[in-house]
């Protein structure tokens, strides 16, 4: 594409004239979203008829895009754009002459020509810009979708004051005037100018249509069916939806609907910038993933529940209020805007000479969504009686698109590494037309060349990339631990805000996250090599919103049934599961010499989430942090007075941080191509005896840490009732987390096996100390001795958490010499890294059951013996076994790690290829 003859001034004028023109065209195209409501009242239309009326201009505007795109390629955008605006002006003015339903349908058909302007503008603008700037330029142009918001902001006021006919007349005058202005001040694009200078004739329409025979063009257009078609459909449907569901007037409905149309339009420019900078595929993932979450939330209908309990029938109502609805559609609109820009980033790259035809086809398919979907929305309401059925349909649509896209990408990339991976297109449907000049133009963030054991590579940039991924991973993991352990604080406050749960029911709420988190870790252990670390970290972080928001809503109503709380407690296990995938992901980034410290920092600072939740939640529930948006407080007794308590903040406080962390993960983290593997590839760890041995040892360290964290408050309260130990509860997890992050270097320096032996001996001392002070608990100062011994235990678990994880990669590198004797060093290293990551995740899954079994052991010991001493003696015996196993298998002379930890040779698998 020749853009040499276009100066910056010419480009800017072409872009801004086209964008303003498209804004006005889009305002006219969606005019029926407002005037259609009044026309419906005059004609007495049902929902299906109304859907057909507002969808008819979308149909004609979509179908004509293909023709207009071809004409633009042939005759130039200046002429065609002007023709479109003048024709739309006439059609819009004549709309006021319609009096019955067929006449309105016919008039709407011709008004739709305004929607065809998009295909004209895409072809016209793209010819002024080089490839590296086309995404941003087309994003700015596409922001003209904001015309839908303009109509929703202004048209209701004109309609109420002067009638719908005046709206049509004013809009007709605006688009006609813009057509004249565009003709006067615009200029021909570089391609048309060059064609005229060389006396060349334009290609025939049949040649323009030639690219459309490629199946990938049609497959790719399906993405646009959601990001654009659903946007248009909702722009038309939301005013009616808001009036019927929330009972607002037409002016309020228009302004609230604009909260969707505005971000879905203006941020398209930002989507173009992100596509240029980070890759169109990454932006498409974000658009579809957020679309799945948003439409799922919006699709839940208002529901009244009647739950039979032992105390009788309990009823409660679940419904999304108008404010959360507006916020959610704002978020949905924002990401739709990004997705629209990402789709059109591909077209000028792959079809530089046929932008109009291909852009017209893709726009036509997307626009057809704006026609089909409103009709489907109306039909679904008529059939089901559910207004939220429109979002149910969109949820199925976007979920199918996301799954199909991701599965296709993974199939395309499976088994491809190194330079070959770099040469693949961003999306598999482009494989047939992907040429050398397209390589890297739409690239994402996959690291195809990753050699951390190569010192030159590591120093020249590898370390910086690894550290960036680490420091993004840490806050995500901290939030995961916070959500996992939030019930340890919430359950203590439920009775004070009116919930009548028994003590046993409250204990189950505190214990269930431990079970679900441990089970999920088993599956999360294998997710990073399958999905990629960046994608899975992002998805796992977003998943935390479900329990966080759910808790925030559930605790506000004392009538919320206990089974719903059980479900939320189980969902908090998402936070516990994230640890396995996070540690697996970070293990791929660092060399052997720094792996222990990196994993210690990730896990140690992530473990701080346990301490943070026990420190922060008691503070935020006493203040209206979110104002009116956070809901009303419950009044609770505080001595002789009453004080407000915002228990919902225990969930809501994490929401903004989860969103920020998910954004950071997607836009800042990387996938490592060589780390990809299927579940079958990783399942080999179940045949490795060291996998099961390390499960035992890590249960002794991390299982003790998380179990003591969950059980200490209850244990202290039962054994020392005169002491308010809850105010000190956060100190134990804090010490354990800090010791883990601060002592990883010890395992790197002296060897993880030797440090682990010392850790278990120290834990044996700690348990004996706890037993001693429990024996003299009636004496003054006994609690402080008891507390000090637990701090010693927490410190030791932190050190042991770091040292055991440092052992795993060294063990597997050593084992590769035995398991793969004929393989080269690079192959051994890659296999060792994959198995180490899987074992790291799986051992953390097994160890997480400590969150349930240690508190449960206290309760069982009390039931059978009247005290907790039997449980503590059991822990002591377990630590003795861990010492013996670690020494016998790993650190003694002849053990697996003896030579490595005493300065012997590095396993062959650890040596990079020459």
């Amino acid at each position: 594409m020749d853009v040499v003859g276009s100066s910056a001034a010419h480009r800017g004028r072409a872009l801004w004239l086209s964008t303003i023109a498209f804004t006005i065209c889009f305002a006219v195209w969606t005019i029926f979203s407002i005037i259609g409501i009044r026309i419906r009242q005059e004609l007495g239309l049902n929902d299906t008829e109304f859907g057909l009326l507002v969808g008819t201009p979308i149909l004609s505007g979509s179908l004509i895009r293909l023709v207009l795109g071809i004409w633009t390629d042939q005759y130039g955008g200046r002429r065609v754009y002007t023709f479109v605006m003048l024709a739309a002006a006439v059609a819009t003015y004549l709309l006021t002459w319609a009096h019955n339903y067929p006449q309105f349908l016919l008039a709407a058909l011709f008004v739709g020509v305004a929607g065809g302007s998009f295909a004209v503008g895409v072809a016209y603008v793209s010819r002024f810009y080089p490839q590296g700037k086309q995404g941003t330029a087309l994003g700015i142009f596409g922001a003209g979708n904001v015309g839908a918001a303009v109509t929703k902001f202004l048209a209701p006021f004109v309609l109420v004051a002067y009638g719908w006919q005046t709206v049509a007349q004013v809009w007709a005058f605006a688009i006609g005037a813009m057509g004249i202005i565009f003709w006067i001040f615009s200029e021909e694009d570089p391609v048309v100018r060059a064609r005229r200078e060389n006396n060349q004739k334009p290609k025939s329409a049949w040649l323009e249509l030639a690219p459309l025979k490629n199946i990938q063009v049609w497959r790719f257009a399906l993405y646009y069916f959601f990001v654009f078609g659903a946007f248009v459909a909702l722009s038309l449907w939301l005013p009616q939806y808001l009036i019927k569901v929330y009972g607002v007037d037409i002016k309020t409905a228009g302004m609230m609907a604009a909260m969707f149309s505005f971000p879905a339009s203006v941020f398209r420019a930002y989507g173009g910038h992100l596509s240029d900078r980070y890759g169109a595929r990454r932006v498409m993932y974000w658009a579809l993933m957020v679309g799945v979450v948003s439409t799922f939330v919006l699709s839940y209908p208002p529901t009244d529940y009647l739950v039979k309990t032992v105390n009788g029938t309990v009823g409660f109502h679940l419904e999304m209020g108008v404010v959360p609805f507006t916020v959610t559609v704002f978020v949905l609109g924002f990401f739709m805007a990004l997705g629209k820009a990402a789709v059109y980033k591909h077209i000028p790259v792959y079809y530089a000479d046929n932008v109009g035809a291909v852009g017209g086809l893709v726009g036509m398919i997307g626009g057809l969504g704006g026609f089909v979907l409103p009709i489907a929305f109306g039909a679904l309401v008529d059939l089901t009686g559910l207004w939220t059925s429109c979002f149910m349909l969109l949820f199925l649509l976007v979920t199918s698109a996301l799954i199909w896209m991701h599965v296709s990408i993974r199939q395309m990339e499976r088994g491809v590494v190194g330079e070959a991976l770099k040469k693949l297109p961003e999306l598999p449907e482009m494989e047939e037309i992907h040429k050398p000049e397209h390589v890297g133009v739409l690239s994402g963030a996959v690291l195809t060349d990753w050699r951390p054991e190569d010192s030159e590579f590591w120093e020249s940039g590898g370390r910086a990339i690894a550290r960036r991924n680490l420091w993004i991973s840490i806050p995500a993991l901290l939030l995961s631990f916070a959500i996992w352990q939030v019930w340890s604080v919430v359950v203590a406050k439920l009775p004070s805000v009116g919930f009548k749960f028994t003590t046993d029911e409250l204990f189950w709420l505190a214990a269930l996250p431990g079970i679900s988190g441990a089970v999920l870790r088993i599956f999360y252990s294998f997710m990073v090599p399958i999905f990629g670390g960046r994608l899975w970290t992002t998805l796992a972080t977003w998943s935390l919103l479900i329990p966080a928001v759910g808790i925030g809503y559930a605790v506000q109503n004392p009538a919320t049934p206990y089974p719903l709380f059980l479900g939320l407690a189980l969902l908090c296990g998402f936070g516990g599961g994230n640890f396995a995938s996070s540690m697996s992901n970070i293990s791929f980034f660092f060399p052997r010499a720094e792996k222990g410290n990196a994993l210690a920092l990730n896990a140690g600072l992530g473990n701080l989430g346990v301490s943070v939740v026990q420190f922060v939640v008691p503070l935020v529930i006493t203040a209206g942090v979110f104002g009116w948006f956070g809901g009303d407080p419950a009044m609770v007794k505080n001595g002789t007075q009453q004080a407000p308590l915002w228990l919902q903040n225990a969930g809501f406080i994490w929401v903004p941080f989860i969103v920020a962390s998910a954004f950071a993960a997607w836009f800042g983290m990387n996938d490592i191509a060589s780390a990809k593997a299927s579940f079958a590839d990783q399942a080999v760890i179940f045949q490795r005896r060291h996998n099961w041995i390390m499960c035992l040892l890590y249960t002794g360290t991390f299982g003790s840490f998380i179990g003591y964290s969950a059980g200490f408050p209850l244990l202290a309260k039962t054994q020392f009732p005169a002491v308010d130990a809850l105010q000190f509860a956060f100190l134990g997890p804090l010490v354990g987390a800090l010791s883990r992050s601060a002592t990883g270097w010890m395992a790197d320096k002296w060897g993880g096996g030797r440090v682990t032996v010392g850790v278990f001996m120290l834990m044996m001392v700690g348990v004996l100390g706890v037993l001693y002070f429990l024996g003299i608990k009636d004496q003054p100062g006994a609690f402080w001795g008891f507390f000090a011994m637990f701090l010693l235990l927490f410190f030791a678990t932190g050190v042991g958490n770091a040292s055991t994880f440092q052992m795993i990669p060294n063990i597997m590198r050593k084992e590769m010499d035995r398991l793969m004797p004929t393989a080269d060093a690079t192959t051994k290293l890659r296999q060792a890294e994959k198995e180490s990551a899987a074992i790291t995740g799986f051992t953390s899954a097994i160890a997480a059951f400590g969150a349930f079994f240690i508190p449960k052991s206290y309760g069982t010991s009390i039931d059978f013996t009247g005290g907790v001493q039997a449980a503590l003696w059991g822990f002591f015996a377990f630590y003795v076994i861990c010492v013996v196993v670690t020494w016998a298998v790993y650190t003694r002379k002849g053990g697996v790690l003896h030579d490595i930890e005493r300065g012997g040779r590095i396993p062959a698998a650890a040596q990079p290829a020459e």
Side-chain angles (χ1 to χ4, degrees):
M1 184 181 301
D2 181 16
V3 296
V4 176
S6 299
S7 67
H10 292 163
R11 294 174 188 171
R13 183 165 67 248
L15 175 59
W16 291 111
L17 278 172
S18 300
T19 302
I20 296 170
F22 182 49
T23 301
I24 297 174
C25 287
F26 214 91
V28 171
W29 197 32
T30 57
I31 192 173
F32 278 92
S33 64
I34 298 299
I35 69 173
I37 295 173
R38 186 58 53 86
I39 294 171
R40 172 183 181 166
Q41 295 170 350
E42 293 180 359
L43 300 181
L45 306 179
N46 61 30
D47 289 311
T48 304
E49 291 171 330
F50 174 75
L52 180 60
L53 176 64
V54 299
T56 295
I58 309 305
L59 173 65
S60 58
S62 302
L63 294 176
I64 203 173
R65 285 183 171 188
L66 180 58
V67 175
L68 293 177
I70 294 173
W71 286 356
T72 304
D73 283 339
Q74 289 184 304
Y75 307 114
R78 182 167 177 259
R79 296 178 183 181
V80 180
Y81 218 152
T82 302
F83 165 76
V84 166
M85 285 185 277
L86 295 179
V90 174
T92 306
Y93 185 82
L94 294 177
L95 171 65
T96 60
W97 293 11
H99 297 288
N100 54 47
Y101 187 60
Q103 290 176 352
F104 276 109
L105 288 178
L106 181 62
L109 194 68
F110 286 99
V111 169
V113 71
S117 59
F118 178 72
V120 182
V122 166
Y124 179 69
V125 170
S126 65
R127 288 177 171 176
F128 283 89
Y129 287 85
Q131 283 187 356
K133 297 183 179 180
Q134 284 174 341
T136 302
L138 292 180
I140 294 172
F141 166 74
N145 290 163
V146 77
V150 171
T151 290
K152 291 177 180 63
F153 269 123
L154 301 180
F157 294 96
V158 180
L159 182 148
V160 171
Y162 303 105
W164 68 264
Q165 293 88 348
T166 303
V167 176
Q169 292 167 354
V170 172
W171 265 234
F173 173 79
I175 194 171
M178 188 63 217
I180 296 172
I181 292 171
F182 187 86
W183 176 257
I184 294 173
F185 292 100
S186 65
E187 62 182 39
E188 298 291 356
D189 65 69
V191 173
V192 172
R193 288 205 312 270
R195 187 187 298 155
R196 290 180 179 175
E197 290 173 1
N198 297 325
N199 294 319
Q200 293 178 337
K201 292 183 178 181
K203 291 187 296 184
S204 70
W206 292 113
L207 290 178
E208 292 285 356
L209 288 170
L212 305 190
K213 67 182 181 181
N214 297 326
I215 190 66
Q216 67 269 10
V217 175
W218 296 84
R219 292 174 64 194
F220 193 67
L222 294 179
Y223 297 131
Y224 206 58
F225 188 85
F226 173 75
V227 294
F228 179 75
F231 155 70
V232 174
L234 287 177
S235 293
L236 298 171
W237 190 253
L238 281 179
Q240 174 81 356
Y241 182 96
L242 290 162
I243 290 171
K244 294 292 185 179
V245 175
Y246 294 108
V248 300
D249 58 41
I250 190 169
K251 290 187 291 185
T252 304
M255 296 184 69
M256 291 174 62
M259 292 298 292
F260 167 77
S261 301
F262 181 78
S265 306
V266 297
F267 287 107
R268 186 167 182 165
Y270 184 54
H273 165 72
L274 293 177
S275 296
D276 282 339
R277 184 172 182 181
Y278 296 106
R281 180 203 293 182
R282 188 185 300 194
V283 178
M284 278 299 299
Y285 263 121
W286 262 104
L288 297 180
M289 287 190 298
V290 175
V292 169
V293 175
S294 300
T295 54
F296 175 80
V297 173
L298 292 167
S299 66
Y300 202 86
T303 309
D304 290 301
Y305 288 92
L306 289 176
V307 180
K308 293 183 178 180
T309 70
V310 293
N311 299 318
T313 301
V314 177
F316 72 100
H317 181 73
L318 189 63
E319 180 179 4
M320 176 174 278
V322 66
V323 174
F325 177 87
T326 305
V327 173
T328 305
V329 296
F330 179 92
V331 173
L332 177 61
F334 173 82
F335 282 96
M336 279 182 164
L338 302 188
K340 286 183 282 188
V343 169
Y344 266 84
K345 169 68 176 173
H346 291 74
I347 294 173
V349 172
Y350 285 96
Y351 297 100
D353 297 326
N354 303 95
V355 175
V358 177
L361 174 68
V362 174
M364 181 186 76
I365 299 297
L368 285 175
F371 167 72
V372 173
L373 290 175
I375 299 175
F377 293 166
L380 284 172
V381 173
D382 289 338
L383 289 171
T384 67
L386 294 175
W387 277 98
T388 58
S389 57
C390 60
F391 295 109
M392 297 177 186
L393 176 61
L394 293 181
F395 172 74
L396 293 176
L397 175 64
V398 67
T399 302
S400 300
L402 176 61
I403 293 173
W404 175 75
M405 184 179 79
H406 183 68
V407 170
S408 299
I409 290 172
R410 298 304 291 182
Q411 288 178 342
M412 176 183 69
E413 294 183 344
R414 182 157 293 162
V416 182
V417 296
E419 292 298 319
L421 187 63
K422 292 181 181 179
K423 297 178 181 179
L424 291 176
E426 286 290 282
L427 295 170
E429 48 265 36
M430 297 302 177
E431 281 189 286
E432 294 180 11
I433 56 173
H434 192 62
K435 299 177 181 178
E437 61 267 26
H438 300 138
V439 173
V441 177
L442 301 170
S443 61
V446 176
L447 299 175
T448 56
D449 180 25
W450 189 248
R451 294 171 283 111
E453 300 293 349
D454 184 332
S455 59
E456 183 177 350
F457 172 87
W458 184 247
E459 296 297 334
S460 64
R463 175 182 278 114
I465 295 173
R467 287 182 174 177
R468 185 184 71 244
N469 280 268
L470 173 63
W471 290 112
I472 292 174
S473 174
I474 286 171
L477 187 55
L478 185 149
L479 290 167
S480 297
F481 270 94
I483 294 298
W484 194 25
Q485 294 296 307
V486 70
W487 279 106
S488 66
V489 180
V490 172
V491 292
K493 297 295 184 181
L494 288 177
S496 62
V497 295
F499 290 91
K500 306 300 182 182
F501 301 148
T502 66
T503 301
D504 185 58
E505 288 175 329
L506 293 175
F507 280 142
W508 271 107
L509 289 178
L512 281 179
I515 289 291
S516 61
V519 172
L520 285 175
R521 282 189 178 193
I522 297 175
F523 299 98
Y524 279 39
S525 303
F526 305 99
M527 292 299 103
V528 168
I530 295 174
F531 290 94
R534 177 174 59 91
L535 174 60
W536 187 253
T537 301
T538 302
L539 289 174
T541 304
W542 274 116
S543 72
L544 303 177
L545 283 179
I546 301 174
V549 174
I551 290 171
Y553 281 120
V555 299
Q556 295 185 58
N557 186 358
T560 304
Y562 183 68
L564 181 60
F565 278 101
L566 290 176
L568 289 172
L570 287 170
L571 289 174
C572 284
F574 285 152
N578 287 357
F579 179 81
S581 56
S582 178
M583 296 298 284
S584 173
N585 182 45
I586 293 303
S587 70
F588 284 111
F589 280 95
F590 287 84
R592 184 185 68 89
E594 299 184 31
K595 195 180 295 289
N597 192 49
L599 292 176
L601 285 171
N602 188 55
L605 296 180
N607 290 167
L608 275 177
V610 180
S611 183
V612 168
V613 76
Q614 293 178 349
F615 179 78
V616 170
V617 170
L619 296 178
V620 298
I621 62 177
T622 61
V625 178
F626 298 99
W628 65 270
F629 183 73
D632 297 326
M635 302 305 295
V636 299
K637 288 185 178 181
N638 185 9
T640 59
Q641 299 180 344
Q642 285 194 327
L645 188 70
W646 288 266
L647 189 57
Q648 60 266 36
N649 288 351
F652 290 154
I653 190 63
W654 312 108
V655 170
F657 299 103
I658 291 170
V659 172
S661 183
F663 271 104
W666 184 254
F667 290 108
M669 296 187 77
N670 300 89
D671 290 327
I672 298 176
S674 60
K676 295 177 181 177
S678 67
F679 175 79
D681 294 333
Q682 301 173 78
V684 69
I685 68 169
F686 298 121
Q687 303 173 23
R688 310 300 192 216
R689 71 186 184 99
H690 294 290
N691 174 52
W692 303 105
I693 296 173
M694 292 310 300
C695 284
L696 173 76
L697 301 185
Y698 195 58
T699 299
T701 56
F702 179 78
S704 297
F705 167 79
I706 199 66
Y708 290 148
S709 297
F712 176 76
L714 176 61
L715 179 64
K717 183 178 181 179
T718 57
Q719 301 302 309
F720 297 91
V723 180
D724 182 13
L726 293 180
Q727 59 184 316
F728 308 112
F730 74 94
L731 289 174
L734 177 64
V735 169
L738 293 178
S739 68
R740 179 171 193 165
S741 58
T743 61
W745 61 271
M746 295 172 58
D748 287 335
K749 183 174 182 179
W750 292 307
R754 289 195 287 177
V755 172
T756 300
V757 170
V759 161
F760 284 124
M761 289 181 175
L762 191 60
M763 293 174 71
M764 291 162 58
V765 173
V767 171
L768 292 176
V770 170
L771 285 165
Y772 171 77
F773 287 106
L774 284 177
I776 60 168
K777 63 181 180 180
D778 295 330
Q779 297 184 18
F783 170 77
W784 298 109
F786 166 85
F787 184 59
M789 290 298 101
F790 260 103
L791 290 182
L792 177 64
L793 282 169
F794 275 112
F795 172 81
T797 61
V799 179
N801 289 338
S803 63
T804 47
F805 267 9
Q806 194 271 353
M807 294 168 62
I808 294 173
N810 283 336
I811 293 169
M812 296 316 298
R813 287 188 178 106
K814 181 70 175 292
E815 282 290 280
M816 288 305 121
D817 286 339
R818 180 180 64 85
L819 297 170
M820 305 174 67
T822 61
D824 60 75
T826 300
T827 302
K828 290 180 182 179
L829 177 60
R830 185 178 297 125
Q831 184 64 23
E833 292 297 308
K834 288 181 181 180
E835 292 193 25
S836 296
I839 292 173
T840 296
F842 185 74
T843 55
S844 72
I846 301 302
F849 283 101
F852 173 79
F853 285 112
I854 285 184
K856 183 61 177 173
S857 296
Y858 291 149
T860 302
S861 179
I862 292 173
D863 288 341
F864 283 94
T865 68
V868 298
Q869 284 81 354
L872 291 167
W873 280 113
F875 301 156
F876 180 86
F878 181 74
Y879 299 147
V880 172
I881 294 172
C882 290
V883 169
V884 173
V885 170
T886 307
W887 175 82
V889 179
Y890 298 117
T891 64
R892 66 176 178 83
K893 189 173 182 179
V896 175
L897 297 177
H898 180 273
D899 294 339
I900 298 173
E901 294 186 351
R902 285 164 175 77
R905 68 179 185 87
I906 298 174
Q911 301 285 357
E914 295 297 333

